[in-house]
Amino acid sequence: MDDQARIMQSIGGVSLAGHSVQGGMALPPPHGHDGTDGDGRKQDIGDILHQIMTITDQSLDEAQAKKHGLNCHRMKPALFSVLCEIKEKTGLSIRGAQEEDPPDPQLMRLDNMLLAEGVAGPEKGGGSAAAAAAAAASGGAADNSIEHSDYRAKLTQIRQIYHTELEKYEQACNEFTTHVMNLLREQSRTRPISPKEIERMVGIIHRKFSSIQMQLKQSTCEAVMILRSRFLDARRKRRNFSKQATEILNEYFYSHLSNPYPSEEAKEELAKKCSITVSQVSNWFGNKRIRYKKNIGKFQEEANLYAAKTAVNAAHAAAAAVQNSQANSPTTPNSGSSGSFNLPNSGDMFLSMQSLNGDSYQGAQVGANVQSQVDTLRHVISQTAGYNDALGGNTMYSPHGLNANGGWQDATTPSSVISPTEGPGSVHSDTSN
DNA sequence: TTCAATGATTAATT
DNA sequence: AATTAATCATTGAA
């Protein structure tokens, strides 16, 4: 009972003091009259602590009243700041180390991948538009793009899910953060909470949410990878090139048999003509070279076919070239070999064509295009010559620029003529499956 | 179903 | 970076 009375009295005192403070003047408290200022403050603090200790015993109304009283006490700000400081120090010592952790490398990887796959980042409307344009530009690639449109549709689906989920998370995170911040700010009126602490709390919340986000990103990445492996693995969805494209490629190949390495520009040209990509052209030539070299006999028929195809033009052009060189015009301009694969300046050196079937070619220096025409001519010659030298099995002759070591020397070879009637069925070395 | 043909990928090489 | 050689995975004809 006695305690209670004293408390009530103190409350009255505190309230009074508070009011006086609010009034604008920091008057000494009622108890402060008896001695020094220090004594009064001590008394104040004692009172406050006492009140805090006993506040749980009070009824709600009383507690509210007391709270108000405490809030208005003139010592409150100072005490709070001191308490904040103490908390700050202890809190920091507890978990001060993991303040600014570096960005998670795994998260970064995921982010990069999502960005690369076009899941994260800006809406790739341009991408689909470009693809559509490419499809429109190239009729042959239509089926290809249809294939990809399926992939794109699925990717867009993933993308949408990812973005809505991400947005949801973000929104939830923000909501939660503001909620917590409000709560803490509210509490900071009655509890010593420093801004730094709030900040830290926000950081913790963000970390938690970002770990959830990481899971989302991880599963999205997985989904994309699966989609990718199913749709974009070209080995699975291999399409044969159109007959036309193969034709063009073969024409080039056999008319440049001495050096079937199209320059970058030539590749681009071929790619455009065949409605395929440059790397596809490179693949094709890579495969062709190796397979041709491995089993020339098998390709003989094909070679002759394409040789015959271009024979007329080539013969024409070659004749013109020879005439030109005989007329000692030093540079042979494009002798317009049928318009196709006219290497503009393919870096081919001037070739001294001495030994075309042993004949010494007096035209000494002609351009690469002529060389290719000569290649073609060789086929024609070989075809008409009918030089059946009994290539029953794998007698490796070195036709054209293919030297004994298996390299394509652009120098001319002393090619004795080729057997045209050599059926397939020599060594089948590529059929390793 | 089988199997050669073929486009793509990969590791090694230059 | 381009190419070779080996290999993979699919296509399409038989």
Side-chain angles (χ1 to χ4, degrees), chain A residues 5 51 70 104 115 182 199 218 245 248 330 339:
Chain A
Q51 285 172 49
L70 281 168
D104 188 353
L115 211 63
N182 285 339
E199 211 173 279
Q218 185 121 39
I248 293 167

Side-chain angles (χ1 to χ4, degrees), chain A residues 87-315:
Chain A
K87 263 187 82 175
E88 192 64 39
K89 277 191 180 134
T90 53
L92 277 178
S93 68
I94 288 165
R95 50 165 182 269
Q98 35 124 339
E99 260 307 287
E100 288 295 317
D101 48 352
D104 188 353
Q106 202 194 343
L107 185 64
M108 267 175 51
R109 256 194 298 133
L110 288 173
D111 275 336
N112 286 339
M113 188 186 150
L114 289 172
L115 211 63
E117 293 297 333
V119 176
E123 175 68 49
K124 279 221 293 198
S128 60
S138 54
D143 51 353
N144 202 5
S145 75
I146 283 166
E147 228 164 75
H148 282 197
S149 79
D150 200 8
Y151 169 79
R152 273 208 308 279
K154 289 245 160 46
L155 188 68
T156 315
Q157 218 174 314
I158 290 175
R159 201 186 139 84
Q160 267 171 0
I161 291 168
Y162 171 75
H163 273 107
T164 49
E165 287 296 307
L166 198 66
E167 210 172 300
K168 236 189 271 174
Y169 286 153
E170 222 130 78
Q171 203 181 329
C173 179
N174 283 339
E175 261 170 37
F176 190 68
T177 307
T178 50
H179 180 72
V180 167
M181 271 169 69
N182 285 339
L183 212 64
L184 287 176
R185 247 184 249 130
E186 181 68 34
Q187 288 198 353
S188 75
R189 297 227 305 258
T190 51
R191 212 152 63 83
I193 297 170
S194 67
K196 243 188 195 163
E197 222 181 320
I198 295 176
E199 211 173 279
R200 203 157 39 228
M201 188 61 82
V202 169
I204 289 165
I205 292 167
H206 281 169
R207 262 198 290 282
K208 288 282 174 213
F209 269 88
S210 79
S211 80
I212 297 169
Q213 270 189 11
M214 187 145 107
Q215 281 176 17
L216 171 72
K217 283 173 181 176
Q218 185 121 39
S219 51
T220 306
C221 273
E222 270 168 36
V224 170
M225 288 310 275
I226 290 165
L227 183 71
R228 216 176 144 72
S229 68
R230 193 167 305 162
F231 278 86
L232 279 195
D233 188 352
R235 287 216 274 223
R236 290 179 192 279
K237 282 284 173 191
R238 206 201 90 226
R239 300 262 87 150
N240 289 351
F241 295 158
S242 70
K243 228 170 148 66
Q244 206 182 353
T246 317
E247 196 107 317
I248 293 167
L249 292 167
N250 271 317
E251 267 178 40
Y252 188 98
F253 180 80
Y254 286 111
S255 62
H256 294 74
L257 210 42
S258 67
N259 187 34
Y261 296 85
S263 64
E264 198 52 43
E265 299 90 73
K267 278 183 198 168
E268 276 165 30
E269 172 108 21
L270 284 171
K272 211 194 294 178
K273 277 190 174 171
C274 301
S275 305
I276 55 177
T277 65
V278 172
S279 58
Q280 280 178 307
V281 172
S282 297
N283 284 341
W284 191 91
F285 272 89
N287 282 324
K288 191 74 185 181
R289 279 190 300 261
I290 203 77
R291 282 162 187 169
Y292 179 87
K293 198 172 79 176
K294 262 188 167 174
N295 193 348
I296 297 164
K298 204 170 72 185
F299 289 91
Q300 207 50 63
E301 220 174 326
E302 189 178 69
N304 293 336
L305 196 118
Y306 282 100
K309 227 171 195 163
T310 47
V312 181
N313 286 325

